[in-house]
Amino acid sequence: KQEVTQIPAALSVPEGENLVLNCSFTDSAIYNLQWFRQDPGKGLTSLLLIQSSQREQTSGRLNASLDKSSGRSTLYIAASQPGDSATYLCAVVYNQGGKLIFGQGTELSVKP
Amino acid sequence: SAVISQKPSRDICQRGTSLTIQCQVDSQVTMMFWYRQQPGQSLTLIATANQGSEATYESGFVIDKFPISRPNLTFSTLTVSNMSPEDSSIYLCSVRDRTNQPQHFGDGTRLSIL
């Protein structure tokens, strides 16, 4: 069964700290992996998309890595800010035309 | 990235009634998806709606309960039929033009059933 897991479910850090969110998937034969953030009462905002042939993607203070062999991806957030507080979701596509399979998300709280 | 507009943004409905949710995209897209997010949960795919073909439903979701239309490459509707309190959720429209491109989401429709 193809599953995506995110640990921890919740994380609280002080402002300015660098942090890592984890995502693991059971089947390493992925097509691509996408990270999203969801603010309360809002839809999902796409952060980064990593194709299966790539090792990492960067956007501003965000860096996402992909290790297919171990079935893991990490989202690194540098110099965290209170505005980063949101739920972060990892999702995997396993084949062309396939659906996104979501993890349960990590709820991040950055304290001023 | 595509701009996705969903209507209504929220609604409170009576048990046994039906509601149609609209999804409008500002550009033509190949794939459209409808998701449900129950309180405190992650997203569950209801169906994939590609223009020119019947919607493909995921296990646990049926066309009689969630009929979908996809008349063109920029628009889709999801109807939630014969609603019960268990249907209280956020319903999200999502689009992707090709599999190697990011998937984008609307802000969702927050539905409460009394």
Side-chain angles (χ1 to χ4, degrees), chain B residues 15-67:
Chain B
R15 185 193 303 253
T17 63
S18 298
L19 177 75
T20 295
I21 302 168
Q22 299 180 359
C23 178
Q24 178 75 54
V25 190
D26 69 343
S27 60
Q28 294 183 339
V29 292
T30 305
M31 292 177 273
M32 294 184 81
F33 307 88
W34 287 97
Y35 287 82
R36 182 175 73 182
Q37 187 175 30
Q38 295 177 303
Q41 302 294 314
S42 189
L43 281 77
T44 301
L45 181 64
I46 298 172
T48 300
N50 294 331
Q51 197 265 339
S53 61
E54 295 292 319
T56 302
Y57 289 82
E58 296 296 306
S59 176
F61 298 96
V62 294
I63 187 171
D64 289 346
K65 175 68 174 177
F66 298 102

Side-chain angles (χ1 to χ4, degrees), chain A residues 32 41 51 97-99 103, chain B residues 37 42 58 96 99-100 103 110:
Chain A
N32 57 40
Q51 307 295 343
K99 62 182 181 181
Chain B
Q37 187 175 30
S42 189
E58 296 296 306
R96 190 172 75 214
T99 311
N100 62 355
Q103 189 161 327
R110 280 143 196 82

Side-chain angles (χ1 to χ4, degrees), chain B residues 91-107:
Chain B
Y91 292 85
L92 297 118
C93 172
S94 180
V95 304
R96 190 172 75 214
D97 203 32
R98 286 190 290 274
T99 311
N100 62 355
Q101 293 181 342
Q103 189 161 327
H104 298 285
F105 285 78
D107 275 347

Side-chain angles (χ1 to χ4, degrees), chain A residues 73-85:
Chain A
S73 176
T74 62
L75 180 67
Y76 174 83
I77 302 178
S80 59
Q81 302 169 358
D84 294 329
S85 297

